[in-house]
Amino acid sequence: MRTIKLINDNWIFTKKGESTNVNLPHTWNGVDGQDGGNDYYRGTCIYEKEISADEMPNGDEIYIQLDGVNSSSTVYFNGRKIAQHHGGYSTFRARLEDVKENNTIKVEVDNSPNDTVYPQVADFTFYGGIYRDVKLIGVAKKHFDLDYYGAPGIMVTPIVKDGKAEITVQAFCDAKVLFEITDGGNVICSSEAEGKNPAAIFTLDNPHLWDGVKDPYLYSASAKLVDGENTVDEIGTRFGIRSFEIDAQKGFILNGREYPLRGVSRHQDRPEIGNALLPEHHEEDIDLICEMGANTIRLAHYQHNQYFYDLCDEKGLIVWAEIPYISKHMPNGRENTKQQMTELICQCYNHPSIVTWGLSNEITMNGAADPTLIENHKMLNDLCHSLDKTRPTTMATVTMCGMDEEINKISDILSYNHYFGWYGGNVSMYGPWFDEFHKKYPNKPIGISEYGCEALNWHTSEPAQGDYTEEYQAYYHEELIKQIGQRPYLWATHVWNMFDFAADARSEGGENGMNHKGLVSFDRKYKKDAFYAYKAWLSDEPVLHICSKRYINRTEDVTKVTVYSNQDEVELFANGESVGSQKKGAYPFFYFEVKNVGKTELVAKAGNLTDNATINKVDTPDESYIMKEEGAVINWFEIDTPTGYCSVNDTIGDIMNCFMGKAALLIVLLRYIVPSLKKGSSTDDDNSNGKKEKKKKAEVMGFSINKTMIELAKGFSVKRVFMMIGGQFTKEDILNINKLLNKVKKPR
């Protein structure tokens, strides 16, 4: 019978000629991949382990299984190369031959840049290392297939129809197999089959359905390989029986009822250990996601640990699974996308939580018209349907990719990554944009695959786009919740992101190397206010939360206090006196005006729930609440912002709301922007006569400038535009522009 042995302990790790002992899981980028600078080590390191014959598992044949090695790896056994694998997020195996009394396993791991293995360009750190488990598997000569794309060797396909479930169980071998289905440990049906990849079909009357977060019921299936009178190998899997469809008008439908998917995306990394997670880390993540009330997770942007998919099965969370075909299309990477998609589907097929396979994410960042890009997606789409006839394909496309682009027509369903209100535009743009898409393509299911904004421990009473305050993030998500709630046709919505995560190239928000769009901090210790906005909206658990608890010192005489609650009525007290009581409206957000005098103890009450906070009146702003950008040309305190007049802190759209504002921006454009652009790279192209001629088509990163992009630009502050252009403008330039704008009255 099959035996499995974990061999995570006591490996010799060598980097740049220096060796140390490590236990797996392990990454060499746990520190330098999170501290900013885009300078983390990307190269080849070596892991080696000595293992005696006595330490091997019993079996006529022995395989090594590596569950995650980023991103390319070559495996040697006793000096002989036995495997090479490209792709850092999936399982692969190799057979160990010629086992000796003493043996050496060596794994060369390489996460260096190349143009063939995805991902290469993306907004997250590509941690190098053997960051998941390594196992040895001992099996008899006759055994279930261990050589096919890291798959488990058993595939279960349940189809629900007319109150019955037809369950096909297939095993991958060439032998006689005994199939069994168990319910709570009891065998409820069994059958034998033999031949090449034998299968059995079972029918269950009135099956217990896997029904999302309310009732994620699981059955088990097993396959026993019979050789003569003996069972020589056995494998098994859990599975769930459910039906679903995705309707362009009604959204997601589970087991015949409308089931709106509202949830988050997840990156898996953590401080100092990167992706080298232990089971307790996965368990903490799933518990936090469930506490928030989410019923869906987009597992971005790669195949996650099988243990996490197991947890999603157990908790009833609906999953979008995808490969790291992201940001930059590489013509030489076509075969790698095919391999990674095959591994994803074959390894994850049995998970009832997974309902769709994601083809790519923001892959049109450099334009959507490349013929090899289109062909790659059509190939992947066909591949998914050939490997799995039960699940649709999807794709996460990006704002700059117009609604009418051919690539948007390839997948069965579609979602968009939009950051209106953060990277340009404003939060009010979401609803109208999706309404326009829905009207234009009424038969195409559409969802939101990413939306969010960043927040650290910065605070303000006047939140503004781009300020990185917890208050703006809370406001942003309040507005998104309202717009999502009014549009049931959205098949799924996924906040970007559940947790802050490392992106070593980033330098934003006052902390380098991080993306701070999480609803929960990177270390999972702090739940931001926006987390509670979703908990109050989605969770059945009673919720009462006063926002801005970390924002104590305030200068205004009357301050706004926001409370989130799913209770029918909330009352707020200031130093024991009632500020007022409010009934719950359509959304679980309550807003109170509180006099700010001295020290005020706030208490919110709703039914049996209470929550507390403190505010304190101060004469001058507490600078510890205000982001100071490291290396910034100009900081907040250097900019004059006279009441009623414009400044570089205002958005282009707001300034354009009056004639004088438009005139001022035209002066800025002609005096500063145009001369700066002329210093940059030429936009000339060679024509057929070898002469230079200007491009007539306005483009940004390969995209034709369209209405959406223009509206996005209106959402940027003037200061942010200058910062994004970078290096072209001095502080004196920006202050002079600010003086010009200070003469423009804001429209009433």
Side-chain angles (χ1 to χ4, degrees):
M1 293 293 287
R2 175 177 302 213
T3 56
I4 300 174
K5 182 173 183 178
L6 199 64
I7 57 166
N8 283 350
D9 293 343
N10 300 317
W11 289 74
I12 298 173
F13 169 69
T14 303
K15 173 186 172 185
K16 295 183 177 179
E18 296 185 5
S19 299
T20 186
N21 289 337
V22 301
N23 294 329
L24 306 181
H26 175 263
T27 178
W28 64 74
N29 297 126
V31 175
D32 68 353
Q34 302 178 351
D35 61 359
N38 199 27
D39 56 355
Y40 65 102
Y41 181 73
R42 295 185 66 181
T44 299
C45 296
I46 296 171
Y47 294 82
E48 291 182 278
K49 182 176 178 64
E50 302 292 327
I51 186 166
S52 68
D54 292 341
E55 295 175 289
M56 294 282 187
N58 295 326
D60 298 324
E61 294 183 358
I62 297 172
Y63 281 75
I64 185 171
Q65 175 175 309
L66 300 99
D67 289 339
V69 184
N70 199 43
S71 55
S72 293
S73 54
T74 306
V75 183
Y76 299 86
F77 183 65
N78 292 332
R80 178 175 172 268
K81 178 180 172 180
I82 60 171
Q84 189 168 39
H85 185 259
H86 299 291
Y89 304 97
S90 51
T91 294
F92 66 100
R93 305 187 186 103
R95 187 157 66 93
L96 306 183
E97 297 181 352
D98 193 21
V99 177
K100 305 180 185 300
E101 188 63 32
N102 294 293
N103 306 276
T104 301
I105 299 170
K106 182 172 81 168
V107 186
E108 292 181 353
V109 184
D110 183 8
N111 70 336
S112 60
N114 60 74
D115 67 349
T116 58
V117 181
Y118 287 97
Q120 290 299 325
V121 177
D123 187 27
F124 59 94
T125 296
F126 312 141
Y127 297 98
I130 304 179
Y131 69 95
R132 290 181 186 154
D133 291 342
V134 177
K135 308 178 183 80
L136 295 178
I137 305 171
V139 289
K141 284 287 185 186
K142 284 189 174 182
H143 57 267
F144 294 105
D145 194 345
L146 288 165
D147 295 308
Y148 185 71
Y149 289 103
I154 184 172
M155 188 168 75
V156 182
T157 307
I159 303 295
V160 180
K161 188 175 181 180
D162 299 329
K164 297 182 179 182
E166 182 180 278
I167 304 164
T168 302
V169 186
Q170 185 173 20
F172 295 88
C173 62
D174 191 353
K176 181 180 178 180
V177 175
L178 172 63
F179 295 100
E180 293 180 338
I181 292 179
T182 57
D183 181 5
N186 299 314
V187 177
I188 58 173
C189 47
S190 62
S191 180
E192 287 186 353
E194 59 184 312
K196 181 68 173 176
N197 299 336
I201 300 176
F202 304 98
T203 300
L204 291 185
D205 294 329
N206 301 313
H208 193 153
L209 298 180
W210 186 92
D211 203 28
V213 294
K214 298 296 185 185
D215 188 13
Y217 195 81
L218 295 169
Y219 290 86
S220 294
S222 65
K224 298 177 182 179
L225 193 152
V226 179
D227 185 15
E229 299 298 318
N230 299 317
T231 298
V232 295
D233 195 13
E234 181 176 356
I235 54 178
T237 185
R238 297 183 305 177
F239 68 96
I241 300 171
R242 81 283 188 270
S243 67
F244 71 89
E245 59 181 303
I246 301 173
D247 185 271
Q249 308 303 321
K250 300 178 181 178
F252 191 81
I253 297 171
L254 179 65
N255 297 327
R257 76 183 191 282
E258 293 179 27
Y259 191 77
L261 296 183
R262 304 291 176 252
V264 296
S265 296
R266 181 222 189 200
H267 266 304
Q268 60 187 357
D269 61 331
R270 294 206 173 208
E272 298 185 356
I273 62 172
N275 289 345
L277 304 185
L278 298 173
E280 54 262 37
H281 298 132
H282 295 294
E283 291 160 9
E284 183 179 30
D285 279 8
I286 203 86
D287 287 345
L288 284 166
I289 292 168
C290 289
E291 179 191 341
M292 195 195 85
N295 62 5
T296 180
I297 310 177
R298 179 181 173 216
L299 291 180
H301 290 297
Y302 38 76
Q303 185 171 327
H304 285 233
N305 195 310
Q306 286 296 317
Y307 184 58
F308 198 80
Y309 294 113
D310 289 340
L311 291 173
C312 291
D313 293 341
E314 294 172 7
K315 299 293 187 178
L317 291 160
I318 301 292
V319 170
W320 165 336
E322 65 188 34
I323 60 172
Y325 185 21
I326 178 172
S327 297
K328 180 182 179 181
H329 169 67
M330 302 184 299
N332 292 335
R334 181 185 186 278
E335 289 306 306
N336 188 247
T337 65
K338 181 178 180 180
Q339 173 206 310
Q340 292 204 50
M341 184 63 79
T342 302
E343 290 172 335
L344 174 69
I345 294 175
C346 291
Q347 292 174 24
C348 299
Y349 183 91
N350 295 326
H351 292 288
S353 55
I354 297 175
V355 302
T356 187
W357 306 115
L359 303 181
S360 65
N361 175 76
E362 295 189 352
I363 200 64
T364 59
M365 287 294 288
N366 291 312
D370 184 339
T372 66
L373 173 72
I374 301 298
E375 188 281 329
N376 205 149
H377 279 76
K378 289 180 177 178
M379 178 274 291
L380 288 175
N381 197 59
D382 292 343
L383 175 66
C384 291
H385 291 144
S386 69
L387 293 172
D388 183 358
K389 302 187 186 310
T390 69
R391 295 177 175 97
T393 57
T394 191
M395 188 174 70
T397 194
V398 67
T399 300
M400 294 87 73
C401 185
M403 297 179 187
D404 303 326
E405 294 286 357
E406 180 182 358
I407 195 167
N408 287 342
K409 299 176 174 65
I410 295 174
S411 60
D412 300 313
I413 56 181
L414 186 68
S415 283
Y416 254 85
N417 296 353
H418 283 317
Y419 289 95
F420 305 139
W422 187 247
Y423 299 129
N426 59 72
V427 291
S428 66
M429 291 173 62
Y430 284 90
W433 191 97
F434 282 99
D435 288 344
E436 182 181 349
F437 185 99
H438 185 53
K439 181 179 180 180
K440 196 169 191 178
Y441 297 102
N443 297 319
K444 183 82 170 186
I446 184 68
I448 313 179
S449 37
E450 291 183 22
Y451 66 98
C453 67
E454 301 196 40
L456 294 88
N457 192 12
W458 311 123
H459 302 281
T460 181
S461 295
E462 297 180 357
Q465 178 178 326
D467 66 8
Y468 295 87
T469 63
E470 193 171 359
E471 285 71 30
Y472 182 77
Q473 187 192 48
Y475 159 76
Y476 172 99
H477 283 289
E478 290 170 27
E479 295 303 306
L480 264 293
I481 286 170
K482 294 171 187 175
Q483 293 177 67
I484 290 169
Q486 295 167 11
R487 291 168 174 84
Y489 64 79
L490 293 169
W491 80 267
T493 59
H494 296 96
V495 175
W496 190 261
N497 196 283
M498 181 64 188
F499 307 106
D500 291 346
F501 60 91
D504 197 53
R506 278 184 166 257
S507 178
E508 289 191 51
E511 182 184 11
N512 293 340
M514 299 296 301
N515 187 312
H516 299 97
K517 293 188 184 71
L519 303 178
V520 177
S521 61
F522 190 37
D523 61 7
R524 278 61 169 173
K525 302 297 185 187
Y526 182 74
K527 302 165 188 172
K528 304 176 191 179
D529 287 335
F531 171 93
Y532 292 97
Y534 284 96
K535 185 175 181 180
W537 184 42
L538 299 173
S539 177
D540 292 333
E541 175 188 335
V543 176
L544 179 66
H545 173 77
I546 300 176
C547 295
S548 299
K549 286 189 175 71
R550 299 191 290 185
Y551 180 33
I552 298 172
N553 296 326
R554 310 188 187 191
T555 59
E556 61 269 22
D557 295 329
V558 177
T559 192
K560 178 182 176 182
V561 175
T562 299
V563 180
Y564 297 148
S565 181
N566 54 8
Q567 302 302 289
D568 292 334
E569 187 172 1
V570 171
E571 187 170 11
L572 185 69
F573 296 85
N575 290 333
E577 294 186 10
S578 178
V579 175
S581 180
Q582 295 180 20
K583 300 281 188 181
K584 181 185 171 188
Y587 298 97
F589 313 134
F590 300 79
Y591 308 108
F592 298 89
E593 295 292 324
V594 177
K595 291 181 180 178
N596 185 22
V597 180
K599 183 178 180 181
T600 303
E601 298 293 341
L602 300 172
V603 178
K605 294 184 178 181
N608 296 324
L609 303 178
T610 61
D611 195 28
N612 304 277
T614 300
I615 58 174
N616 187 47
K617 180 71 161 66
V618 293
D619 294 329
T620 58
D622 188 333
E623 292 189 14
S624 69
Y625 296 152
I626 305 171
M627 179 186 65
K628 298 176 180 64
E629 297 170 277
E630 185 178 339
V633 174
I634 191 168
N635 277 294
W636 65 274
F637 48 82
E638 299 174 277
I639 298 170
D640 289 333
T641 56
T643 302
Y645 290 83
C646 295
S647 75
V648 294
N649 289 337
D650 290 307
T651 67
I652 292 171
D654 286 344
I655 296 170
M656 289 179 65
N657 281 337
C658 66
F659 174 79
M660 290 301 296
K662 291 176 183 177
L665 288 177
L666 180 60
I667 293 171
V668 171
L669 181 68
L670 294 175
R671 186 179 296 173
Y672 294 95
I673 304 293
V674 173
S676 171
L677 293 177
K678 286 180 179 178
K679 296 175 188 175
S681 59
S682 173
T683 58
D684 293 346
D685 278 348
D686 287 332
N687 65 14
S688 58
N689 298 318
K691 295 180 180 179
K692 297 288 183 181
E693 61 180 26
K694 295 291 182 182
K695 286 184 178 178
K696 295 181 180 179
K697 191 176 183 180
E699 292 185 344
V700 175
M701 297 180 67
F703 288 98
S704 299
I705 294 177
N706 55 37
K707 177 183 174 183
T708 299
M709 294 177 70
I710 293 171
E711 290 302 314
L712 278 175
K714 290 181 180 179
F716 284 113
S717 71
V718 176
K719 178 190 171 187
R720 201 168 184 194
V721 169
F722 280 97
M723 295 303 185
M724 290 172 67
I725 294 174
Q728 301 288 337
F729 305 98
T730 65
K731 179 167 72 174
E732 184 181 12
D733 289 335
I734 297 174
L735 289 175
N736 285 335
I737 293 167
N738 193 63
K739 287 179 182 177
L740 175 65
L741 293 175
N742 286 167
K743 298 175 183 178
V744 178
K745 280 189 176 183
K746 292 183 177 181
R748 292 185 179 181

